[in-house]
């Protein structure tokens, strides 16, 4: 390929020399491909070629680019350039047409420039020829080195990968012209980490060893260089690749210790953890698949080892109950291995790692153990205090304590049974299978100390007692019958077909026999020998006026051992019938309903309770009526506490003065209370009333009353140190035998009194209320 390119370049150079010789142009300034069409042109006005210039020239500015020349032969012609880069990057000499570059050019920024050449008259500035467009191309120089797209790359590869496993592909970019041979060619090289990784010409990094072990070294830093194939300055670009080894399951688990010892109580629950086994596995958690097993020992069926997937540890669990009295120590060999490891990976450890396990059993005080998981006894009904059966339990501990047996109170009808110290169960009452055919008892077995006191350890067992049937119930009608017969029934007319039932267990071969206890009736019973019987008319024609209901006693016997017989009464009603034998009128039969003694007692107690309650209510109401009629109701005392923090309200305050003294004076002095007759006061109780001087008892008329009021008034006016502890007592009732009846001064009419209280009007505003209460009403005086 390189040879072909060099050959083409040589051919192009030769053609350029030929053209230059023919035209007189500088061979260095010719573009060989573009000049080929020029040879075929017959005539052109512009005599100049497409121009080229190398980038990044080191010579001083300006740099000569080329010459533009027209065929116009005029001394007055002037050359000009037009375009975006004209007069900035490129300039032309007006008289010669030489074009110069006044800046160093960079092909990587601008690879070619487009300009317009003009030839004008110096004086008139008119175009002597039409403008011509041309291009100045910048020749590439290998002045750039490769640059990676990133400075740092991250990659990963599984550990223990085979040689040549691809890791990552890198790319470096050279800004030079790729059409020029070797200008943009890139060469890669590993500068650091070449003992584990390599890179090819395309930039692919691959492994060079198969022993990349993550557990030894998990990360690698590889430095890669990208160099130009023909770099001018020997520069290169570098990048760093961080390679992480991915973990695989290539390591076997190893026990952290060679012997494990555990101590567990004998009452540990089956399936619970008694200890853990630990291994070391340098692989990551997702690649740890340790499996534990018991490889030596006779206790494979006693213990199992389960793997905890979270911590990769082995959990030892008992599969059977442990018993210190039988085995005190277990010893066996365990093995740890990982079945998912690919054995083609080299490993320095054994595939199977073993350890020894010793389990010491600790003795604990265990509850008694029954010999059976449950007991089933059978007992015939109607037997009292027979031996039903025995339960037996023993102390599994070495102490071999005595065992006591008890029936839980919560057991089904447990009060019917008793259990002794030997575990024998018997019943206290006769059992009736027809009431309870089964009894379920919970029997407790407790350890006893030397004094016979139960200790805390206990166990229970279920005892099922089945009551066996005895033939103790006579057969009876299968259902209540209400037979009817026409009074003109013919002989042999079927009245009713009866059947029987028995409360006892009815065997398949049961046979009931039916018969009438008396033959003195107009009915005949025929036993069908299939546990049914027919009642038919014996003579025909019934006298309904004489007997409307015939009570027919029927004897029913069973074939049990012993055979039992019962008498069942069948009430046959004689009815009026029409000519078709249809009943037209029948008397209602009164049936006796059997009521038990317990029901009768309950009904009697209910009636008695209702009667007593009714009597009490009646007596209470009667006592209340008598109390209202004779005034002997229970005294009621209503008290109200009134606290005064200041002087009373004057004439509107009716409770500011103790008027009990006025009442006592009015009636000729205070009366001593009569025995048995208590007043029913509504009291405005005095609050913290201080002791006062007792006024002298005064007997007499208005003058004496005035003296008393004056004394009280003087006491109230001069007692400035104490608050007004005034109290008003209202006596609403004196008693039924009292002549005065009421002692209330507020509820009495002052006109009935012989005392004239008009002088109270002269005492001022403070006694105005008293004057109105006790004084005469002027309107009443006018009325009289």
């Amino acid at each position: 390929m390189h040879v072909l390119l060099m050959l083409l370049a040589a051919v192009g150079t030769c053609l350029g020399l030929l053209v230059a010789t023919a035209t007189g142009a500088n061979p260095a300034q010719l573009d060989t491909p573009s000049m080929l069409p020029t040879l075929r042109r017959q005539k052109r006005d512009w005599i100049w070629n497409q121009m080229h210039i190398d980038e990044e020239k080191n010579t001083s500015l300006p740099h000569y680019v080329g010459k533009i020349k027209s065929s116009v032969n005029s001394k007055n012609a002037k050359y000009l350039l037009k375009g975006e880069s004209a007069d900035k990057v490129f300039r032309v000499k007006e008289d010669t047409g030489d074009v110069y570059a006044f800046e160093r050019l960079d092909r990587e920024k601008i690879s070619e420039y487009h300009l317009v050449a003009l030839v004008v008259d110096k004086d008139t500035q008119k175009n002597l020829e039409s403008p011509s467009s041309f291009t100045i191309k910048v020749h590439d120089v290998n002045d750039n080195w490769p640059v990676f797209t990133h400075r740092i790359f991250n990659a990963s590869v599984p550990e223990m990968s085979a040689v040549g496993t691809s890791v990552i592909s890198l790319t470096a970019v050279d800004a030079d012209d790729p059409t020029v041979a070797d200008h943009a060619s890139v060469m890669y090289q590993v500068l650091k980490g070449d003992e584990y990784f390599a890179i090819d010409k395309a930039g692919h990094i691959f492994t060079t060893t198969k022993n990349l072990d993550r557990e030894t070294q998990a990360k690698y830093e590889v430095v890669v260089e990208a160099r130009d194939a023909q770099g001018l300055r020997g520069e290169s670009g570098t990048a760093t690749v961080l390679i992480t080894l991915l973990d695989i399951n290539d390591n076997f688990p190893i026990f952290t210790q060679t012997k494990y010892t555990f101590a567990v109580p004998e009452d540990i629950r089956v399936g619970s953890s008694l200890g853990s086994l630990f291994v070391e596995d340098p692989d990551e958690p997702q690649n740890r698949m340790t499996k534990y097993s018991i490889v030596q020992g006779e206790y494979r069926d006693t213990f199992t080892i389960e793997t905890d997937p979270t911590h990769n540890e082995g959990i030892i669990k008992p599969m059977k109950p442990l018993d210190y009295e039988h085995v005190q120590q277990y010893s066996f060999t365990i093995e740890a291995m990982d079945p998912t490891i690919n054995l083609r990976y080299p490993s320095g450890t054994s595939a199977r790692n073993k350890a020894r396990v010793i389990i010491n059993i600790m003795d604990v005080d265990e509850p008694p153990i029954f010999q059976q998981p449950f007991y089933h006894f059978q007992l015939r009904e109607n037997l009292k205090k027979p031996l039903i059966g025995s339960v037996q339990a023993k102390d599994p501990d070495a102490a071999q304590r005595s065992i006591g047996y008890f029936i839980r109170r919560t057991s089904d009808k447990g009060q019917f049974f008793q259990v002794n110290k030997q575990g024998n169960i018997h019943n206290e009452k006769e059992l009736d299978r027809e009431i309870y055919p089964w009894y379920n008892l919970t029997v407790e077995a407790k350890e006893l100390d030397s004094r016979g006191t139960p200790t805390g350890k206990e166990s229970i067992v279920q005892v099922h007692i089945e009551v066996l049937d005895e033939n103790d119930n006579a057969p009876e009608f299968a259902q209540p019958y209400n037979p009817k017969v026409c009074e003109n029934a013919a002989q042999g007319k079927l009245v009713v077909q009866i059947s029987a039932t028995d409360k006892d267990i009815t065997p398949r071969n049961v046979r009931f026999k039916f018969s009438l206890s008396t033959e003195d009736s107009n009915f005949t019973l025929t036993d069908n020998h299939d546990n049914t019987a027919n009642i038919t008319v014996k003579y025909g024609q019934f006298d309904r006026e004489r007997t409307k209901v015939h009570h027919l006693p029927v004897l029913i016997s069973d074939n049990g051992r012993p055979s039992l017989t019962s008498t069942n009464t069948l009430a046959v009603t004689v009815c009026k019938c029409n000519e078709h034998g249809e009943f037209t009128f029948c008397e209602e039969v009164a049936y006796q309903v059997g009521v038990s003694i317990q029901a009768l007692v309950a009904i009697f107690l209910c009636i008695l309770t209702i009667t007593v309650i009714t009597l009490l209510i009646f007596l209470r109401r009667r006592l209340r009526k008598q109390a209202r009629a004779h005034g002997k109701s229970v005294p009621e005392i209503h008290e109200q506490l009134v606290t005064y923090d200041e002087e009373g309200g004057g004439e509107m305050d009716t409770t500011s003065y103790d008027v009990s003294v006025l009442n006592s004076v009015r009636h000729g002095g205070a009366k001593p209370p009569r025995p048995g007759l208590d007043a029913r006061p509504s009291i405005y109780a005095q609050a913290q009333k201080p002791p006062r001087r007792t006024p002298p008892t005064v007997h007499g008329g208005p003058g004496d009353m005035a003296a008393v009021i004056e004394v009280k008034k003087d006491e109230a006016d001069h007692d400035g140190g104490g608050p007004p502890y005034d109290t008003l007592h209202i006596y609403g009732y004196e008693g039924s035998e009292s002549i005065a009846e009421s002692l209330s001064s507020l509820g009495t009419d002052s006109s009935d009194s012989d005392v004239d209280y008009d002088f109270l009007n002269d005492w001022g505003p403070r006694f105005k209320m008293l004057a109105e209460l006790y004084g005469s009403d002027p309107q009443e005086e006018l009325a009289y």
Side-chain angles (χ1 to χ4, degrees), residues 255-281:
F255 283 110
T256 57
Q257 54 195 86
T258 58
K259 184 173 71 173
Y260 295 87
T261 303
F262 305 99
V264 296
E266 63 175 331
D267 60 349
I268 185 173
R269 189 177 58 182
V270 174
S272 60
S273 173
L274 64 81
S276 298
L277 306 172
F278 301 95
V279 295
E280 290 181 351
D281 190 342

Side-chain angles (χ1 to χ4, degrees), residues 455-560:
T455 61
K457 294 295 183 178
E458 67 175 32
S459 58
I460 62 173
V461 70
Q462 296 296 322
V463 177
H464 308 289
I465 300 177
E466 179 184 5
V467 182
L468 301 179
D469 184 47
E470 289 286 336
N471 191 21
D472 57 346
N473 290 278
E476 58 187 13
F477 282 141
Q479 63 184 27
Y481 294 101
N482 185 20
K484 299 177 182 179
V485 63
C486 294
E487 60 179 344
N488 56 352
Q491 181 180 1
K493 174 67 175 178
L494 178 63
V495 178
V496 65
Q497 185 180 71
I498 59 176
S499 61
T501 185
D502 196 335
K503 293 181 180 179
D504 296 321
I505 296 178
T506 304
R508 294 184 178 179
N509 59 348
V510 65
R511 289 291 181 264
F512 296 117
K513 296 180 180 181
F514 301 89
S515 62
L516 296 178
S517 61
T518 178
E519 297 295 334
D520 188 14
S521 65
N522 194 15
F523 297 96
T524 299
L525 186 146
T526 303
D527 194 339
N528 299 325
H529 302 290
D530 59 354
N531 295 332
T532 63
N534 295 336
I535 304 296
T536 58
V537 179
K538 186 176 183 180
Y539 303 111
Q541 295 288 329
F542 292 91
D543 187 358
R544 188 174 178 280
E545 300 299 332
R546 181 180 178 183
T547 304
K548 295 182 175 61
V549 179
H550 294 266
H551 296 281
L552 191 64
V554 179
L555 299 179
I556 306 176
S557 302
D558 58 16
N559 59 343

Side-chain angles (χ1 to χ4, degrees), residues 414-724:
Q415 67 273 16
F416 290 173
F417 303 91
Q418 293 292 333
V419 60
N420 57 17
K421 295 181 179 180
Q422 291 74 30
N424 298 327
I425 301 176
H426 58 85
N427 59 314
E428 291 291 330
K429 299 179 181 180
E430 295 181 0
L431 305 181
D432 190 353
R433 191 207 65 84
E434 286 70 38
I435 298 178
Y436 293 106
W438 283 88
Y439 293 88
N440 300 314
L441 306 181
T442 301
V443 178
E444 301 174 348
K446 298 183 180 181
E447 295 179 357
L448 304 178
D449 56 15
S450 58
R451 295 176 297 179
T453 304
T455 61
K457 294 295 183 178
E458 67 175 32
S459 58
I460 62 173
V461 70
Q462 296 296 322
V463 177
H464 308 289
I465 300 177
E466 179 184 5
V467 182
L468 301 179
D469 184 47
E470 289 286 336
N471 191 21
D472 57 346
N473 290 278
E476 58 187 13
F477 282 141
Q479 63 184 27
Y481 294 101
N482 185 20
K484 299 177 182 179
V485 63
C486 294
E487 60 179 344
N488 56 352
Q491 181 180 1
K493 174 67 175 178
L494 178 63
V495 178
V496 65
Q497 185 180 71
I498 59 176
S499 61
T501 185
D502 196 335
K503 293 181 180 179
D504 296 321
I505 296 178
T506 304
R508 294 184 178 179
N509 59 348
V510 65
R511 289 291 181 264
F512 296 117
K513 296 180 180 181
F514 301 89
S515 62
L516 296 178
S517 61
T518 178
E519 297 295 334
D520 188 14
S521 65
N522 194 15
F523 297 96
T524 299
L525 186 146
T526 303
D527 194 339
N528 299 325
H529 302 290
D530 59 354
N531 295 332
T532 63
N534 295 336
I535 304 296
T536 58
V537 179
K538 186 176 183 180
Y539 303 111
Q541 295 288 329
F542 292 91
D543 187 358
R544 188 174 178 280
E545 300 299 332
R546 181 180 178 183
T547 304
K548 295 182 175 61
V549 179
H550 294 266
H551 296 281
L552 191 64
V554 179
L555 299 179
I556 306 176
S557 302
D558 58 16
N559 59 343
R561 295 182 182 179
S563 177
L564 298 179
T565 303
S566 66
T567 302
N568 298 265
T569 302
L570 190 66
V572 182
T573 305
V574 179
C575 302
K576 293 182 178 181
C577 300
N578 55 20
E579 61 275 10
H580 302 290
E582 297 175 352
F583 301 116
T584 58
F585 178 77
C586 297
E587 295 288 343
E588 294 294 334
V589 180
Y591 294 96
Q592 294 181 353
V593 180
V595 182
S596 63
I597 298 177
Q598 293 85 349
L600 291 175
V601 172
I603 295 173
F604 175 75
L605 291 177
C606 292
I607 295 174
L608 181 61
T609 302
I610 295 174
T611 304
V612 171
I613 293 175
T614 305
L615 183 60
L616 290 176
I617 295 174
F618 173 76
L619 292 176
R620 188 169 180 270
R621 290 183 177 179
R622 184 175 181 183
L623 290 175
R624 282 188 176 181
K625 290 182 180 180
Q626 291 180 358
R628 291 188 185 135
H630 299 287
K632 294 182 179 180
S633 60
V634 180
E636 297 179 0
I637 300 176
H638 302 278
E639 296 182 359
Q640 179 178 357
L641 180 63
V642 181
T643 302
Y644 292 89
D645 294 334
E646 58 184 10
E647 285 290 330
E651 62 179 350
M652 299 306 295
D653 190 356
T654 60
T655 64
S656 61
Y657 195 81
D658 188 0
V659 297
S660 60
V661 180
L662 301 180
N663 287 327
S664 63
V665 175
R666 175 183 176 186
H667 294 284
K671 292 184 180 180
R674 301 181 61 179
L677 298 176
D678 297 333
R680 187 182 63 181
S682 176
I683 303 172
Y684 292 87
Q686 53 188 23
Q688 301 177 357
K689 182 175 181 180
R692 295 199 179 197
R693 294 180 301 167
T694 304
T697 303
V698 182
H699 303 279
D704 297 334
M705 185 62 187
V708 172
I709 295 177
E710 283 293 335
V711 171
K712 300 297 289 184
K713 176 177 177 296
D714 182 74
E715 180 182 352
D717 292 338
H718 293 84
D719 189 11

Side-chain angles (χ1 to χ4, degrees), residues 697-748:
T697 303
V698 182
H699 303 279
D704 297 334
M705 185 62 187
V708 172
I709 295 177
E710 283 293 335
V711 171
K712 300 297 289 184
K713 176 177 177 296
D714 182 74
E715 180 182 352
D717 292 338
H718 293 84
D719 189 11
Y725 294 102
D726 300 330
T727 305
L728 175 62
H729 295 273
I730 301 175
Y731 294 88
Y733 191 75
E734 173 64 17
S736 59
E737 297 180 0
S738 174
I739 300 176
E741 292 185 354
S742 176
L743 299 180
S744 175
S745 60
L746 301 179
T748 58

Side-chain angles (χ1 to χ4, degrees), residues 251-257 260 277-283 288 290 292 311-313 336 349 353:
N251 290 276
F252 295 101
I254 303 173
F255 283 110
T256 57
Q257 54 195 86
Y260 295 87
L277 306 172
F278 301 95
V279 295
E280 290 181 351
D281 190 342
D283 292 326
R288 299 171 185 170
T290 305
Y292 300 87
H311 303 92
N312 198 38
E313 61 185 34
T349 60
N353 190 258

Side-chain angles (χ1 to χ4, degrees), residues 18 54 112 138 216 247 301 309 335 367 399 409 416 455 562 576 606 663 669 713 740 755:
L18 292 174
D54 293 337
E112 60 183 23
V138 181
T216 303
D247 183 54
D301 58 344
E335 180 184 76
R409 295 182 179 179
F416 290 173
T455 61
K576 293 182 178 181
C606 292
N663 287 327
K713 176 177 177 296
V755 182

